[in-house]
Amino acid sequence: MAPLALHEKVLVSREFFRTGHAEMTCEQCHGGNPAAAARPEAHKGVVKDPTEVPPFSEVDKIVCAECHEEQVKTGSTSLHATKSPFTKVLRARAGNDAKNWDSVIEPGRRNHCTACHSSCGDCHVSRPKFAKGGFIQGHVFRKKPDMVNQCMACHGSRVGDEFFGNRGIGDAHLAKKSMDCMACHPAGEMHASGEGLTSRYQLPQMPKCAGCHEKDLGKVAQHKVHAGKVQCQVCHSQDYANCYSCHTGKDANGIAYFVNQMETESFKIGLAYPDSGRSEKYILVRHVPADKEVFDFYGKDAFRTFDNVPTWKATSPHNIQRKTWRSASCNHCHGQRSLFLADGDLLAYEKTANRPVMVPDDKVPAKRKEDAAKDPEVTVQSAMMVTAEALHMALGKKAPLTLVDARTPEAYKKGHIERAVPFNVAGELRYPADETPRSMTMKGPEELAALFGSLGIERPVHVVVYDAGGLEAPLLAYALHRLGHGNVAVLDGGIDAWAKEAKLPLVAGDPTPAAARKLEAAPNANIIMDNRQVAEAMAEPGTIVLDSRSVGQYQGLTYHPLQVRAGHIENTVNLPTMGFWTAEGFLKDPRASAWLLESRGITKDKRIIVTCTTGQAAAGAWWALKYLGYPNVVLHDGSWVSWERSPMMKK
Amino acid sequence: MHHLRVLRFRRHPSWRLLAAALATGLLVAAGTAGAAGDPAAKPASTCIACHTDVAKIKAEAANVPVPAGSGLQAGKG
């Protein structure tokens, strides 16, 4: 979500004056001096957010209470307003030392852990302060919060990425039924008092799957077996992000920040523990970013009793699907020890508190012999991907290969793999978006051949491409295929797999100019289509146009900066690229990816045209499908950015 | 709906002031309330004059210092 410009944040629309809230004057809520002629005088004494929760003894002073007394009364003690469980957890971890609390924990709590608490206005009139504020509709108050600008402004990274399909394939509630946050989390829950709770799952108003799906429980055999014992999400969620080692501080401008040292996509089943708020025996657990040293910026050894509270906490990932890889077969869970939280998953200083969450060997359900489900048979094109270790070995042997760094020139300069030549994919591979009608289409074969030749790439040379775990490397690798140069591989997991996981060295500095080669272009016209070709092909039987963008983008809720219009091409199938790649840039388990495609009717006998916004996510899908052995995969050149600027776009 | 708004507004602390203004006919002249639906009927207070004028507000915004920040504080849950 791009930040609003300063003037946009405070611009009051004419529409506002047609609403009931305009019956009050500005100064009635905000104070200040409306008679003053200049900004400094006019703003003297102004309260930017008069809906902010004051000290609880003065909660009656919240201006909203004048008319919305009941909502303010409970809302001011709601979880959104107070973040009270955070404080309780911090107290449990800090130990009984008032000085430590006052001097170290409390400043950290205020600046970081509960800084995202929200006022009435943060949900009903502006973006939350945590997301730098700003009116979302010119000061018009909205009864129902805006999912993108308000809910996701705070819940955008974990929940938002899962829900929209920026990680995984998104949530069926959004994809199939266009349900937003409020569909499951209505005002009754948002305004409910959270006093005395140690977990949000203890809130009586929390939504229950059975609230809507009760009638489905009796229909499915697996539901009869698992209901009440296994949390619904265990079977109906995809992998989700786990965060580790949050560290906090203030930058040179005194702005408080926090940063997670590690984020990884996985799936862990634990046991319901005391205070989890879950009634089932087996629940999904997510590693929270809490760290013993999280407040070291404020003072050392603040968390003397850190191991009092589990770091693997009950979770309900917002990436629900009716069919998942886990539910495709009993034995995708049964007998899979690695899916169940074990001692080996725990850090040294978090073992005691997580003991009740861990699943001992005798509690891991045994493999079921009678499971008839068959996994798809997958033969991957293994030469298309290379691991960090294999690349290291090849480089060590001085194998004749050209290594290309597809990240930005700045990232290259900071640290790259030795022998790599830089190629700025974002700037050099495609025509600019404003260059209609070529908007974001790939440069012509001769131009590309000259560019790649300047990197030292020639026909027989093996090329390995890496990026920062994004989709630049697959796009560059696709472009080489487009030129008829198929001898190319992508580094699985990108630079982090090399440097952080394999702990292999990087070098810093500018590149040494490569000896230019002449690369003859032998364009492969079978793997690319322009707008007109896509429009014609869509009508042909056996063709699927696969839109590989996130569900949010596909539905027009979120958009890429280069998009003029939000939305998608008619009669396309949405399956986000991140169903095949982890957010860290690793290709997912090929069996799970193959199953996912087949379960959506995307089979190898069909021609698959992949599209997205600019062609990059589509290249990620193209690469994954080819890796899985799909023979007929075509990329929509320029994708939506080109399409919406072309006559194909229905006005 | 309007009736409901009026009822709610009666609970507002400025109700007494408003009632007095209505009684003396000052409300129409001052235009401090009751103008919902007609932006033009609003008084040209500093707040409204600036906060509804893109050019003015842009010019003012250019003078407001904004700390650069490290960019790290954008992390979300």
Side-chain angles (χ1 to χ4, degrees), chain A residues 219-287:
Chain A
K219 286 184 194 164
V220 182
Q222 300 309 322
H223 285 168
K224 288 181 189 160
V225 178
H226 292 108
K229 297 177 203 158
V230 179
Q231 184 190 353
C232 305
Q233 283 90 343
V234 171
C235 293
H236 293 288
S237 288
Q238 306 156 59
D239 289 2
Y240 47 87
N242 290 277
C243 304
Y244 291 83
S245 193
C246 178
H247 278 66
T248 61
K250 285 186 179 179
D251 66 13
N253 294 298
I255 297 176
Y257 69 81
F258 63 86
V259 61
N260 283 329
Q261 309 289 345
M262 190 175 90
E263 209 172 274
T264 179
E265 206 167 307
S266 65
F267 191 92
K268 286 287 170 193
I269 303 165
L271 297 176
Y273 52 92
D275 282 350
S276 67
R278 310 285 335 184
S279 55
E280 303 90 347
K281 182 178 175 186
Y282 293 98
I283 62 172
L284 282 189
V285 288
R286 183 184 323 241
H287 197 274

Side-chain angles (χ1 to χ4, degrees), chain A residues 122-181:
Chain A
D122 286 337
C123 295
H124 293 288
V125 69
S126 63
R127 284 185 182 178
K129 284 176 285 301
F130 190 62
K132 309 267 182 284
F135 300 139
I136 58 167
Q137 205 181 329
H139 205 290
V140 172
F141 283 78
R142 297 154 58 107
K143 188 173 179 184
K144 188 178 169 184
D146 178 306
M147 174 165 68
V148 174
N149 281 292
Q150 289 170 320
C151 308
M152 297 307 182
C154 291
H155 299 279
S157 122
R158 207 177 55 207
V159 175
D161 281 353
E162 288 166 8
F163 197 62
F164 282 149
N166 297 322
R167 189 187 269 281
I169 61 166
D171 194 295
H173 295 92
L174 175 69
K176 306 273 183 206
K177 301 286 180 189
S178 297
M179 289 166 68
D180 62 10
C181 307

